[in-house]
Amino acid sequence: MKILLPVLMLLSGAAWANEGAPLAKQNWSFTGVRADWNKDELYRGYTVATQVCLACHSFKYISHRDLMRVGFTEAEVKTMAANLKMTIDQPIHTGLAETDAQELYGKVPPDLSLMTKAREGLADYVYGVLTGYSEKPEEIAKDFPTGLPKGAYYNHAFPGKAIAMPAPLSGPDMVSFHDNTAATVPQMAHDVVTFMQWTAEPERMERQRLGVFVLLYLIIFGVLTYFTKRAVWRDVH
């Protein structure tokens, strides 16, 4: 059975009246004062993305060569691309033909390249949906006393808490990570969301670093302007 990942859930799941639970803020390596892309996290996320998501979804706005911007060597990306029978300059496309996807799912699964920016809550929302599934009867009964709508699955984070998509990260050890990190559902979700955030804005760190230099320039310029103004006007009363 082919496995769909975050965004088909986000876009095709049916939503009912009640809202999803408040999103927990996650600790992301790409946010904060010391933000940076963590190569190991990206590699683990790439593993989940290519071994799970790529069954149905593409990342058409990036290629393997782009990974060289975050520390991968050309030899590494050539090996990674070859494992998927791609060149390093090809967009990362699913092998699922659109006609087959239409027949299987009734719609073509969306591209995931920009998906962490497509919903309020951003990366926290995608992580919340990936880890928000529950089969506990008491939790389901609290929100759906008469039972879930037909064909729906319970998910804490999804608006309405009833989603048409079964859990894509259905259990631990769906993949094996290069650094022997345990592939728990929270770990796989965290890493694949980090990878998806990178695909959405691979220039993020360069932009943030440039922003720091711009702020420093403005501060220095402001200080110099202030003292220049005082020097020019000091004899004017």
Side-chain angles (χ1 to χ4, degrees), residues 48-62:
V48 178
T50 55
Q51 294 187 25
V52 181
C53 311
L54 205 62
C56 301
H57 297 276
S58 295
F59 295 86
K60 64 183 180 182
Y61 295 115
I62 62 160

PDB file of all heavy atoms in Angstrom, residues 48-62:
ATOM      1  N   VAL A  48      13.357   9.911   5.476  1.00  0.00           N
ATOM      2  CA  VAL A  48      11.907   9.730   5.621  1.00  0.00           C
ATOM      3  C   VAL A  48      11.192  10.226   4.363  1.00  0.00           C
ATOM      4  O   VAL A  48      10.283   9.564   3.836  1.00  0.00           O
ATOM      5  CB  VAL A  48      11.377  10.470   6.865  1.00  0.00           C
ATOM      6  CG1 VAL A  48       9.856  10.313   6.977  1.00  0.00           C
ATOM      7  CG2 VAL A  48      12.050   9.954   8.130  1.00  0.00           C
ATOM      8  N   ALA A  49      11.615  11.395   3.879  1.00  0.00           N
ATOM      9  CA  ALA A  49      10.959  11.979   2.708  1.00  0.00           C
ATOM     10  C   ALA A  49      11.055  11.072   1.488  1.00  0.00           C
ATOM     11  O   ALA A  49      10.084  10.890   0.752  1.00  0.00           O
ATOM     12  CB  ALA A  49      11.571  13.343   2.401  1.00  0.00           C
ATOM     13  N   THR A  50      12.219  10.482   1.269  1.00  0.00           N
ATOM     14  CA  THR A  50      12.413   9.680   0.056  1.00  0.00           C
ATOM     15  C   THR A  50      11.934   8.248   0.214  1.00  0.00           C
ATOM     16  O   THR A  50      11.563   7.619  -0.776  1.00  0.00           O
ATOM     17  CB  THR A  50      13.893   9.690  -0.374  1.00  0.00           C
ATOM     18  OG1 THR A  50      14.721   9.263   0.720  1.00  0.00           O
ATOM     19  CG2 THR A  50      14.311  11.084  -0.813  1.00  0.00           C
ATOM     20  N   GLN A  51      11.922   7.733   1.446  1.00  0.00           N
ATOM     21  CA  GLN A  51      11.489   6.346   1.638  1.00  0.00           C
ATOM     22  C   GLN A  51      10.004   6.225   1.969  1.00  0.00           C
ATOM     23  O   GLN A  51       9.430   5.135   1.862  1.00  0.00           O
ATOM     24  CB  GLN A  51      12.328   5.678   2.728  1.00  0.00           C
ATOM     25  CG  GLN A  51      13.794   5.506   2.324  1.00  0.00           C
ATOM     26  CD  GLN A  51      14.595   4.702   3.328  1.00  0.00           C
ATOM     27  OE1 GLN A  51      14.045   3.889   4.077  1.00  0.00           O
ATOM     28  NE2 GLN A  51      15.900   4.907   3.356  1.00  0.00           N
ATOM     29  N   VAL A  52       9.396   7.328   2.381  1.00  0.00           N
ATOM     30  CA  VAL A  52       7.970   7.304   2.718  1.00  0.00           C
ATOM     31  C   VAL A  52       7.183   8.256   1.808  1.00  0.00           C
ATOM     32  O   VAL A  52       6.340   7.839   1.024  1.00  0.00           O
ATOM     33  CB  VAL A  52       7.734   7.655   4.204  1.00  0.00           C
ATOM     34  CG1 VAL A  52       6.245   7.604   4.535  1.00  0.00           C
ATOM     35  CG2 VAL A  52       8.498   6.701   5.107  1.00  0.00           C
ATOM     36  N   CYS A  53       7.508   9.547   1.886  1.00  0.00           N
ATOM     37  CA  CYS A  53       6.725  10.549   1.152  1.00  0.00           C
ATOM     38  C   CYS A  53       6.791  10.368  -0.353  1.00  0.00           C
ATOM     39  O   CYS A  53       5.808  10.569  -1.063  1.00  0.00           O
ATOM     40  CB  CYS A  53       7.220  11.960   1.474  1.00  0.00           C
ATOM     41  SG  CYS A  53       7.424  12.328   3.206  1.00  0.00           S
ATOM     42  N   LEU A  54       7.971  10.021  -0.862  1.00  0.00           N
ATOM     43  CA  LEU A  54       8.196  10.020  -2.303  1.00  0.00           C
ATOM     44  C   LEU A  54       7.395   8.929  -3.019  1.00  0.00           C
ATOM     45  O   LEU A  54       7.322   8.918  -4.248  1.00  0.00           O
ATOM     46  CB  LEU A  54       9.690   9.864  -2.601  1.00  0.00           C
ATOM     47  CG  LEU A  54      10.186  10.423  -3.942  1.00  0.00           C
ATOM     48  CD1 LEU A  54       9.976  11.926  -4.016  1.00  0.00           C
ATOM     49  CD2 LEU A  54      11.655  10.088  -4.153  1.00  0.00           C
ATOM     50  N   ALA A  55       6.776   8.043  -2.268  1.00  0.00           N
ATOM     51  CA  ALA A  55       5.901   7.056  -2.892  1.00  0.00           C
ATOM     52  C   ALA A  55       4.773   7.732  -3.658  1.00  0.00           C
ATOM     53  O   ALA A  55       4.300   7.209  -4.675  1.00  0.00           O
ATOM     54  CB  ALA A  55       5.322   6.117  -1.828  1.00  0.00           C
ATOM     55  N   CYS A  56       4.360   8.915  -3.174  1.00  0.00           N
ATOM     56  CA  CYS A  56       3.245   9.613  -3.809  1.00  0.00           C
ATOM     57  C   CYS A  56       3.511  11.087  -4.076  1.00  0.00           C
ATOM     58  O   CYS A  56       2.882  11.678  -4.953  1.00  0.00           O
ATOM     59  CB  CYS A  56       1.996   9.513  -2.934  1.00  0.00           C
ATOM     60  SG  CYS A  56       1.460   7.821  -2.615  1.00  0.00           S
ATOM     61  N   HIS A  57       4.381  11.714  -3.292  1.00  0.00           N
ATOM     62  CA  HIS A  57       4.602  13.157  -3.366  1.00  0.00           C
ATOM     63  C   HIS A  57       5.964  13.490  -3.963  1.00  0.00           C
ATOM     64  O   HIS A  57       6.916  12.725  -3.814  1.00  0.00           O
ATOM     65  CB  HIS A  57       4.540  13.784  -1.966  1.00  0.00           C
ATOM     66  CG  HIS A  57       3.199  13.645  -1.315  1.00  0.00           C
ATOM     67  ND1 HIS A  57       2.156  14.504  -1.549  1.00  0.00           N
ATOM     68  CD2 HIS A  57       2.749  12.739  -0.420  1.00  0.00           C
ATOM     69  CE1 HIS A  57       1.102  14.144  -0.826  1.00  0.00           C
ATOM     70  NE2 HIS A  57       1.440  13.065  -0.133  1.00  0.00           N
ATOM     71  N   SER A  58       6.038  14.644  -4.594  1.00  0.00           N
ATOM     72  CA  SER A  58       7.303  15.137  -5.134  1.00  0.00           C
ATOM     73  C   SER A  58       7.820  16.304  -4.312  1.00  0.00           C
ATOM     74  O   SER A  58       7.100  16.891  -3.494  1.00  0.00           O
ATOM     75  CB  SER A  58       7.110  15.595  -6.587  1.00  0.00           C
ATOM     76  OG  SER A  58       6.783  14.513  -7.430  1.00  0.00           O
ATOM     77  N   PHE A  59       9.091  16.642  -4.552  1.00  0.00           N
ATOM     78  CA  PHE A  59       9.727  17.859  -4.045  1.00  0.00           C
ATOM     79  C   PHE A  59      10.335  18.554  -5.272  1.00  0.00           C
ATOM     80  O   PHE A  59      11.540  18.611  -5.449  1.00  0.00           O
ATOM     81  CB  PHE A  59      10.809  17.523  -3.021  1.00  0.00           C
ATOM     82  CG  PHE A  59      10.284  16.892  -1.762  1.00  0.00           C
ATOM     83  CD1 PHE A  59      10.090  15.518  -1.685  1.00  0.00           C
ATOM     84  CD2 PHE A  59       9.979  17.657  -0.649  1.00  0.00           C
ATOM     85  CE1 PHE A  59       9.603  14.934  -0.533  1.00  0.00           C
ATOM     86  CE2 PHE A  59       9.489  17.075   0.517  1.00  0.00           C
ATOM     87  CZ  PHE A  59       9.306  15.709   0.569  1.00  0.00           C
ATOM     88  N   LYS A  60       9.462  19.047  -6.117  1.00  0.00           N
ATOM     89  CA  LYS A  60       9.876  19.437  -7.461  1.00  0.00           C
ATOM     90  C   LYS A  60      10.693  20.727  -7.522  1.00  0.00           C
ATOM     91  O   LYS A  60      11.252  21.044  -8.570  1.00  0.00           O
ATOM     92  CB  LYS A  60       8.657  19.582  -8.375  1.00  0.00           C
ATOM     93  CG  LYS A  60       7.697  20.700  -7.975  1.00  0.00           C
ATOM     94  CD  LYS A  60       6.483  20.704  -8.901  1.00  0.00           C
ATOM     95  CE  LYS A  60       5.513  21.810  -8.528  1.00  0.00           C
ATOM     96  NZ  LYS A  60       4.304  21.786  -9.395  1.00  0.00           N
ATOM     97  N   TYR A  61      10.762  21.463  -6.419  1.00  0.00           N
ATOM     98  CA  TYR A  61      11.513  22.718  -6.446  1.00  0.00           C
ATOM     99  C   TYR A  61      12.954  22.574  -5.964  1.00  0.00           C
ATOM    100  O   TYR A  61      13.666  23.567  -5.834  1.00  0.00           O
ATOM    101  CB  TYR A  61      10.785  23.794  -5.632  1.00  0.00           C
ATOM    102  CG  TYR A  61       9.462  24.167  -6.241  1.00  0.00           C
ATOM    103  CD1 TYR A  61       8.270  23.897  -5.577  1.00  0.00           C
ATOM    104  CD2 TYR A  61       9.392  24.769  -7.487  1.00  0.00           C
ATOM    105  CE1 TYR A  61       7.041  24.221  -6.146  1.00  0.00           C
ATOM    106  CE2 TYR A  61       8.172  25.095  -8.061  1.00  0.00           C
ATOM    107  CZ  TYR A  61       7.004  24.817  -7.377  1.00  0.00           C
ATOM    108  OH  TYR A  61       5.796  25.134  -7.959  1.00  0.00           O
ATOM    109  N   ILE A  62      13.370  21.349  -5.655  1.00  0.00           N
ATOM    110  CA  ILE A  62      14.752  21.131  -5.230  1.00  0.00           C
ATOM    111  C   ILE A  62      15.337  19.945  -5.983  1.00  0.00           C
ATOM    112  O   ILE A  62      14.605  19.101  -6.514  1.00  0.00           O
ATOM    113  CB  ILE A  62      14.873  20.881  -3.711  1.00  0.00           C
ATOM    114  CG1 ILE A  62      14.118  19.610  -3.317  1.00  0.00           C
ATOM    115  CG2 ILE A  62      14.427  22.075  -2.903  1.00  0.00           C
ATOM    116  CD1 ILE A  62      14.567  19.042  -2.002  1.00  0.00           C
TER     117      ILE A  62
END
